[in-house]
Amino acid sequence: MNLNIDTYGQYLEVYKYSVEHPEKFWAEIASDFEWKQKWEKVLEWNFSEPKIEWFLGGKLNITQNCLDRNLVENADKKAIIWEPNNPNEHIREITYRELHDSVCRFANVLQANGAKKGDRICIYLPMIPEAVVAMLACARIGAIHSVVFAGFSSQSISDRINDSECSMIITADGVERGEKRVELKKIVDEALVNCPSIKRCIVYNNRNWEVDIKQGRDVWWHSEIRKVGANNEPEWLDAEDPLFILYTSGSTGKPKGVLHTTGGYMVMAGYTFKMVFNYKPHQIFWCTADVGWITGHSYIAYGPLLNSATIMMFEGVPTWPDAGRFWDIVDKHKVNILYSAPTALRNLMAAGDHFLENKDLTSLEVLGSVGEPINEEAWYWYHDKIGKEHCPIVDTWWQTETGGMMLSPIAGIGVAKPGFAMYPLPGIQPLLLNEKGEELHGNNVEGNFCMKFPWPGMARTVYGDHKRFQQTYFSTYNNLYFTGDGCKRDEEGFYRITGRVDDVINVSGHRIGTGEVEDAINDHDCVVESAVVGYSHDMKGQALYAFVICNKPVDDLIKFRNEVGKIVSERIGSFSKPDKIQIVKALPKTRSGKIMRRILRKIAENDYSNLGDTSTLIDPKVVDDIKSGVI
Ligand code: PRX
């Protein structure tokens, strides 16, 4: 299918076709990939169970599409260019031939260590090419990877390993991020104390640091790799065989293991990458996300490789050695497409434009944004100062659950508005609903954002808990997928995401469930109960505000706040620490015991107007008490 759409008129035509003939449309896209055996049926679905199956009967291996397929014409093309944390250390360049070789060898290592189709394998690695190698090696043998962002604590690792009963973990000795030294293997060792299902831990030697090796459990990546050959026949998987699990936070309870399957995810990641970025074979593509998040899965690893792209990968942080590092990398490697997050852009913008001096950014052709709403100021800065007013900005809206981009301007078209994810990609069918569950037709409307038809990249279940999958996404509205986001369709019919309408908070693009943070805070000896809400933050987009009730007077508030922050870091990760912690006597609760978060959100925003009806509270006076102690 020709995915080069150059005008908005062409887009409208393709879009219309995709909605009128969704199965034909997606089948045409899927035909651009290599299948060992073609599918018999494009789609079977219902949103009530829910059951979603794409390309039934098809057999494939995603790594054949990412790697083997490129051995014909692109073997010597660079697949990955890697920039280390320390700019004085060596860069690495890996061709498609070399990547294929590394993945096949590591797939053999996995098999030699007992891994097989269907096994769950946890990956806890920094931003090094081996993270991509490990993911692809799992996919090659049909094992299900579960990448855990290497900023999560040992407790979070063990929770995730135990939930999906991983038999193996792949990690590294450690990593430096800026000047910070992170001893990954130590964190993993602590996690594994509580993980009986883990039989093997494979350790990549990234920094040559000393680590404890537990005999019988731990092996070194480099010594294992010497024992195996370079031939590995991919496992031929059914289109609906699982490809990976990725844990993400929801409104309630523990993180959910969102499960994606092989055929549909491949089609989605490959198609959206090509379509949205208008990718051309000469271009160097840089996604600044971490492989531990869905953006890294779809647009560092799979999407670009499925399009024979050259990926730029960066181990470090945007502000080290200084806030010009991103622009140094663009200049040094002549990056053509930059896909980043509003939080990073806001931070770099705040650091000052002198960091842009003497940086040649003329290689840039397309700019992307993902993860949270981008404010106009950051959008214009990106557009004017980074893109020099000639690079289209693609503001892509999507989720861990959607597998790939859903709404976005298409780079080749050039129709965009600051802060707008604009329009659905061909094949995606969104709608807005009001509180009563009625569809909002026409323009200039705002409501809850849903999807009425499946798309190949959508999650199939929550690992081990299909009921939770049904309840979270398909029970709010009959026969619809509910995203959890609010959205506005403006007078011209363009979409603008307004943010989450549930208890998920987006801090610096990291998705955080308030329930998880509250559980962690409640572990403090002095805390009886807590309620966490989000409030607007100039840099992070949103930050966390915790209201806590203590069982005794707290004399040293600073010490108390530090202790609470430490518990949250240990239980989840330091990115989940509340910025503000206020001790309160009581929380605003209804007679049925429900905390009225709406009121707390307003208080956290310092917005005392229209707190709404407080008469249903057990004790309306509580609100004044809280207001008087606001930080
Ligand atoms: O609220 C939306 C926000 O991020 C949520 C999904 O988070 P996660 O699953 O971690 O995936 C992030 C990367 C795809 C969404 O429900 N979000 C994502 N992209 C945008 C966005 N909000 C506004 N504009 C976006 N472009």
Side-chain angles (χ1 to χ4, degrees):
M1 188 169 208
N2 180 11
L3 297 180
N4 292 323
I5 296 182
D6 300 324
T7 64
Y8 191 59
Q10 273 175 5
Y11 156 78
L12 289 174
E13 256 174 55
V14 178
Y15 186 74
K16 185 162 176 280
Y17 174 78
S18 78
V19 172
E20 286 170 359
H21 309 282
E23 295 188 25
K24 263 195 187 159
F25 169 80
W26 285 113
E28 281 173 47
I29 305 270
S31 304
D32 287 341
F33 297 85
E34 277 187 15
W35 297 77
K36 181 77 172 168
Q37 184 180 302
K38 204 183 156 184
W39 57 89
E40 283 149 19
K41 193 156 192 267
V42 177
L43 173 65
E44 242 178 56
W45 70 288
N46 69 67
F47 276 173
S48 48
E49 283 176 64
K51 178 170 118 174
I52 305 119
E53 293 181 327
W54 283 89
F55 311 115
L56 289 92
K59 283 203 177 283
L60 75 154
N61 188 289
I62 194 169
T63 70
Q64 196 223 0
N65 281 273
C66 290
L67 302 173
D68 304 51
R69 193 156 67 137
N70 284 307
L71 295 181
V72 187
E73 283 177 11
N74 296 310
D76 296 318
K77 183 174 176 175
K78 285 174 211 162
I80 300 177
I81 302 172
W82 178 78
E83 169 78 16
N85 175 58
N86 184 337
N88 299 322
E89 290 181 11
H90 288 298
I91 65 162
R92 290 168 66 187
E93 295 186 327
I94 298 167
T95 64
Y96 271 92
R97 191 197 317 278
E98 289 163 342
L99 186 61
H100 176 266
D101 185 84
S102 302
V103 169
C104 288
R105 283 179 195 275
F106 196 61
N108 286 332
V109 167
L110 294 178
Q111 283 172 328
N113 280 278
K116 54 182 191 317
K117 182 181 167 190
D119 287 357
R120 277 78 58 211
I121 297 183
C122 180
I123 297 177
Y124 188 71
L125 282 170
M127 284 288 288
I128 52 177
E130 284 66 27
V132 177
V133 171
M135 288 162 80
L136 293 175
C138 289
R140 188 134 184 121
I141 66 167
I144 305 165
H145 58 71
S146 167
V147 183
V148 176
F149 167 58
F152 274 114
S153 65
S154 47
Q155 167 93 43
S156 293
I157 303 171
S158 56
D159 288 349
R160 284 158 177 73
I161 287 176
N162 291 335
D163 184 73
S164 49
E165 294 177 283
C166 295
S167 55
M168 208 182 263
I169 180 164
I170 303 163
T171 189
D173 49 350
V175 66
E176 277 167 38
R177 291 198 193 104
E179 277 170 1
K180 199 167 144 201
R181 218 178 120 100
V182 190
E183 299 192 61
L184 299 171
K185 175 65 166 57
K186 239 188 201 161
I187 299 171
V188 166
D189 285 341
E190 277 168 34
L192 295 189
V193 172
N194 300 312
C195 298
S197 60
I198 292 284
K199 302 282 175 288
R200 192 58 90 238
C201 172
I202 302 182
V203 189
Y204 181 76
N205 182 9
N206 188 42
R207 300 301 305 164
N208 239 346
W209 294 345
E210 213 157 284
V211 296
D212 286 340
I213 291 289
K214 187 170 169 193
Q215 290 306 325
R217 185 193 71 188
D218 302 349
V219 292
W220 285 106
W221 177 305
H222 58 266
S223 37
E224 291 302 294
I225 220 86
R226 281 193 218 113
K227 300 180 193 161
V228 297
N231 289 330
N232 183 281
E233 170 74 3
E235 180 84 30
W236 298 111
L237 303 173
D238 285 335
E240 281 301 329
D241 277 337
L243 177 64
F244 66 84
I245 299 168
L246 186 55
Y247 284 86
T248 190
S249 294
S251 315
T252 51
K254 55 183 187 157
K256 298 183 286 275
V258 170
L259 184 109
H260 285 283
T261 56
T262 307
Y265 176 81
M266 173 182 77
V267 170
M268 185 81 183
Y271 156 69
T272 50
F273 177 82
K274 171 86 183 99
M275 172 68 99
V276 169
F277 296 115
N278 199 13
Y279 182 77
K280 309 274 186 331
H282 71 274
Q283 291 174 320
I284 295 176
F285 173 82
W286 181 20
C287 167
T288 67
D290 192 282
V291 283
W293 308 113
I294 190 68
T295 309
H297 282 56
S298 301
Y299 303 108
I300 291 177
Y302 291 110
L305 295 174
L306 288 165
N307 285 280
S308 319
T310 299
I311 305 161
M312 174 79 231
M313 195 174 182
F314 174 41
E315 189 185 36
V317 295
T319 46
W320 192 80
D322 64 37
R325 187 69 194 276
F326 268 18
W327 321 125
D328 283 330
I329 294 175
V330 169
D331 187 346
K332 178 170 168 189
H333 298 284
K334 302 293 166 234
V335 171
N336 304 111
I337 306 176
L338 175 65
Y339 189 33
S340 195
T343 295
L345 298 173
R346 282 192 293 266
N347 274 301
L348 298 180
M349 177 172 75
D353 288 350
H354 55 283
F355 287 109
L356 294 168
E357 279 162 21
N358 304 320
K359 309 282 155 83
D360 179 5
L361 305 182
T362 52
S363 58
L364 288 173
E365 295 172 48
V366 176
L367 302 175
S369 172
V370 61
E372 45 176 326
I374 180 165
N375 50 313
E376 288 204 10
E377 197 191 354
W379 194 97
Y380 277 111
W381 183 78
Y382 204 22
H383 182 263
D384 297 349
K385 297 285 168 57
I386 306 304
K388 313 286 183 209
E389 299 178 31
H390 72 85
C391 299
I393 294 184
V394 294
D395 179 358
T396 64
W397 176 88
W398 57 295
Q399 309 178 292
T400 304
E401 295 85 344
T402 69
M405 302 160 182
M406 302 286 278
L407 298 188
S408 176
I410 293 170
I413 295 179
V415 178
K417 284 184 178 189
F420 280 68
M422 295 303 282
Y423 41 83
L425 297 180
I428 304 304
Q429 300 190 35
L431 74 162
L432 299 178
L433 287 103
N434 66 16
E435 267 148 33
K436 288 185 220 141
E438 297 155 343
E439 177 166 0
L440 298 167
H441 295 279
N443 292 339
N444 226 344
V445 287
E446 183 170 346
N448 285 348
F449 195 45
C450 295
M451 300 290 153
K452 61 178 138 195
F453 196 84
W455 60 98
M458 73 186 295
R460 301 299 197 259
T461 191
V462 167
Y463 189 84
D465 198 348
H466 196 64
K467 191 157 168 243
R468 190 163 175 211
F469 185 60
Q470 192 276 334
Q471 277 173 350
T472 310
Y473 307 105
F474 301 92
S475 68
T476 315
Y477 302 110
N478 209 4
N479 244 345
L480 299 174
Y481 167 86
F482 177 38
T483 65
D485 277 325
C487 181
K488 189 175 166 172
R489 190 162 54 224
D490 77 351
E491 52 295 341
E492 292 179 280
F494 295 130
Y495 291 86
R496 179 191 189 116
I497 301 295
T498 52
R500 302 289 304 198
V501 296
D502 55 10
D503 289 325
V504 172
I505 299 174
N506 203 324
V507 179
S508 302
H510 296 324
R511 190 167 150 176
I512 295 170
T514 50
E516 277 174 76
V517 181
E518 288 162 7
D519 283 351
I521 294 175
N522 296 349
D523 270 359
H524 189 286
D525 284 349
C526 297
V527 175
V528 178
E529 195 179 3
S530 61
V532 172
V533 296
Y535 69 97
S536 315
H537 188 283
D538 282 351
M539 289 298 147
K540 302 179 181 185
Q542 279 188 299
L544 302 182
Y545 194 129
F547 298 89
V548 299
I549 304 174
C550 291
N551 55 11
K552 56 179 182 217
V554 171
D555 301 330
D556 189 341
L557 202 55
I558 295 176
K559 183 166 162 260
F560 172 73
R561 287 187 179 133
N562 286 340
E563 285 167 2
V564 169
K566 190 160 171 269
I567 292 178
V568 175
S569 295
E570 282 167 7
R571 288 283 301 262
I572 308 171
S574 59
F575 58 87
S576 290
K577 272 201 284 197
D579 275 31
K580 295 187 180 180
I581 300 173
Q582 181 185 343
I583 298 177
V584 296
K585 287 196 202 111
L587 292 165
K589 284 192 182 168
T590 61
R591 275 168 224 289
S592 60
K594 207 170 162 248
I595 298 172
M596 284 188 88
R597 289 169 185 279
R598 177 176 52 79
I599 293 176
L600 294 177
R601 270 185 226 120
K602 287 235 167 197
I603 295 176
E605 293 282 5
N606 269 317
D607 170 11
Y608 303 143
S609 64
N610 189 20
L611 285 181
D613 182 9
T614 53
S615 62
T616 54
L617 295 176
I618 306 174
D619 179 7
K621 275 211 317 292
V622 165
V623 176
D624 291 325
D625 272 351
I626 298 178
K627 269 163 44 181
S628 67
V630 157
I631 303 162

